[in-house]
Amino acid sequence: VQLQASGGGLVQAGGSLRLSCSASGGTFSSYGPGWFRQAPGKEREFVAAMRPGDRNTFYGDSVKGRFTISRDNAKTTSYLQMNSLKPEDTAVYYCAATAMGNKISSAYRHSSTYSYWGQGTQVTVSS
């Protein structure tokens, strides 16, 4: 499975962006999509994920209520809608996918769960 992330850019605080992650190869509908981010000098951080079976969603505490993960199986694409952006959201955002089937919620928060990664897209939020 190859993943291609896009949609990053520069936005003012309070603004919105939608990231896309286009997948090719494999059976997209059976994969669980996820998003992580990494700011300079910091560790990679869990942002959002979706369990493939019931489409239950999970979010990092810092983005809960502001970000929404979704998927379109027909387009083999997952999305991350980011609203009310803050300067601390500035990071490189990575999309990922896991083929490990349906797991408990905590599993989706760990980068080791994901076998496939996109190349990252830069999001910069100005104050």
Side-chain angles (χ1 to χ4, degrees), residues 20-104:
S20 300
C21 180
S22 178
S24 59
T27 306
F28 180 77
S29 59
S30 67
Y31 293 123
W35 289 89
F36 289 74
R37 67 187 183 186
Q38 188 165 19
K42 295 188 176 181
E43 294 185 352
R44 190 166 293 191
E45 175 189 14
F46 169 72
V47 176
M50 178 183 287
R51 188 155 53 201
D54 57 13
R55 295 203 174 196
N56 205 2
T57 55
F58 313 101
Y59 296 94
D61 290 341
S62 61
V63 307
K64 200 172 297 183
R66 300 187 297 122
F67 290 12
T68 303
I69 186 172
S70 62
R71 68 188 299 164
D72 185 333
N73 288 342
K75 296 182 178 179
T76 64
T77 300
S78 66
Y79 303 96
L80 184 69
Q81 178 67 43
M82 305 185 295
N83 298 329
S84 302
L85 283 162
K86 304 175 181 179
E88 51 263 43
D89 294 318
T90 296
V92 177
Y93 283 70
Y94 297 90
C95 64
T98 176
M100 293 177 65
N102 295 303
K103 297 294 182 183
I104 59 174

